[in-house]
């Protein structure tokens, strides 16, 4: 896209993680080959000190490049935009990676108006929404993560804390997930999730083809499977 629009003077920022650093390294290599000049290349991660985030924001504000490529995770991008909003830079053209450019949470930042980027196609997983909504309080209480989700969503406690004046009221079993409107119940933006779904089924079918191939009368669940056997075409190692 940078080459297509003829932008030859840009800035870049990425998440200081495997995702961001590896993605940006590939981009910078391609940019050099295309004769695209990079004024600055910054990296940060949301758990790093705020002073680091402020420094990155200041670099962006003081730069002369008006196009910025952001290979950033959504959580990191939100922190950066919040910091930039404190003292907005001149209008910029953002180019985003798939991790944040389609995130609805970014719509509240006017800094992103006109951003373009790449995205994984949106899809619907049959039956997935009903599966999520079938979660009950009895199931949620068995898993710490689901317990936290349930209590935060309904402002009630699945496990009452005795002796605490700040304890939330006990959940009474009338909580209804279908009445919620949050990222958990929103299955209209399944992008990465759908890729995981397809990858899981691809591996499952590959394993079934190995343990239940046509040469056997029945499936051999005790067979030892080598990772390379699940690839197609098969690897001859």
């Amino acid at each position: 896209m940078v080459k297509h629009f003829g932008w030859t003077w840009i800035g870049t920022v990425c998440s200081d993680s495997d995702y961001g650093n590896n993605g940006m390294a590939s981009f910078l290599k391609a940019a050099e080959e295309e004769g695209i000049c990079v004024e600055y290349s910054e990296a940060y991660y949301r758990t790093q000190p705020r002073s680091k985030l402020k420094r990155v924001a200041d670099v962006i504000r003081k730069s002369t490049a008006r196009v910025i490529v952001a290979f950033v995770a959504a959580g990191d991008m939100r922190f950066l935009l919040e910091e930039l909003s404190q003292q907005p830079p001149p209008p910029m053209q953002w180019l985003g990676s798939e991790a944040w450019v389609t995130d609805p949470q970014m719509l509240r930042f006017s800094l992103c108006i006109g951003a373009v980027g790449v995205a994984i196609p949106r899809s619907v997983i049959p039956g997935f929404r009903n599966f999520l909504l079938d979660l009950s309080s009895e199931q949620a209480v068995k898993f710490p993560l689901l317990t936290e989700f349930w209590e935060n969503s309904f402002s009630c406690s699945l496990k009452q804390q005795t002796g605490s004046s700040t304890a939330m009221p006990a959940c009474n079993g009338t909580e209804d997930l279908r009445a919620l409107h949050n990222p958990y119940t929103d299955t209209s933006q399944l992008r990465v999730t759908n890729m995981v779904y397809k990858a899981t089924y691809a591996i499952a079918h590959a394993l079934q083809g190995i343990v239940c191939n046509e040469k056997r009368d029945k499936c051999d669940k005790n067979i030892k499977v080598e990772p390379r056997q699940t690839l197609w075409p098969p690897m001859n190692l």
Side-chain angles (χ1 to χ4, degrees), residues 168-201:
M168 295 183 293
C171 299
N172 57 24
T174 62
E175 298 80 25
D176 184 7
L177 284 175
R178 296 179 185 276
L180 291 179
H181 298 284
N182 63 18
Y184 177 85
T185 59
D186 181 9
T187 57
S188 65
Q189 295 287 334
L190 300 181
R191 299 177 188 274
V192 175
T193 306
N194 188 52
M195 300 298 287
V196 174
Y197 168 77
K198 292 194 293 184
T200 302
Y201 268 88

Side-chain angles (χ1 to χ4, degrees), residues 135-151 157-160 171:
L135 178 67
S136 66
S137 58
E138 290 79 10
Q139 294 170 310
V141 77
K142 297 177 182 178
F143 304 95
L145 183 62
L146 291 179
T147 297
E148 181 180 355
F149 160 72
W150 193 276
E151 293 181 339
S157 175
L158 289 174
K159 296 180 179 179
Q160 274 292 348
C171 299

Side-chain angles (χ1 to χ4, degrees), residues 56-190:
V56 172
D58 286 339
V59 169
I60 294 173
R61 293 188 184 102
K62 296 175 182 177
S63 69
T64 58
R66 297 275 68 87
V67 175
I68 179 169
V69 175
F71 208 108
V72 184
D76 300 330
M77 190 65 181
R78 178 172 59 82
F79 275 84
L80 176 60
L81 292 176
E82 287 175 347
E83 179 64 33
L84 287 173
S85 296
Q86 302 301 315
Q87 185 183 340
M92 306 187 73
Q93 174 62 57
W94 292 86
L95 275 76
S97 58
E98 87 294 338
W100 72 269
V101 78
T102 57
D103 190 334
Q105 297 298 317
M106 302 303 161
L107 295 176
R108 62 189 178 94
F109 296 102
S110 59
L111 292 168
C112 287
I113 292 176
V116 294
V118 295
I120 297 171
R122 182 172 61 180
S123 185
V124 174
I125 300 176
F128 186 53
R129 176 174 170 79
N130 289 334
F131 170 78
L132 292 177
L133 296 179
D134 279 343
L135 178 67
S136 66
S137 58
E138 290 79 10
Q139 294 170 310
V141 77
K142 297 177 182 178
F143 304 95
L145 183 62
L146 291 179
T147 297
E148 181 180 355
F149 160 72
W150 193 276
E151 293 181 339
N152 288 339
S153 297
F154 298 109
S155 298
C156 65
S157 175
L158 289 174
K159 296 180 179 179
Q160 274 292 348
Q161 300 175 359
T162 58
S164 174
S165 60
T166 59
M168 295 183 293
C171 299
N172 57 24
T174 62
E175 298 80 25
D176 184 7
L177 284 175
R178 296 179 185 276
L180 291 179
H181 298 284
N182 63 18
Y184 177 85
T185 59
D186 181 9
T187 57
S188 65
Q189 295 287 334
L190 300 181

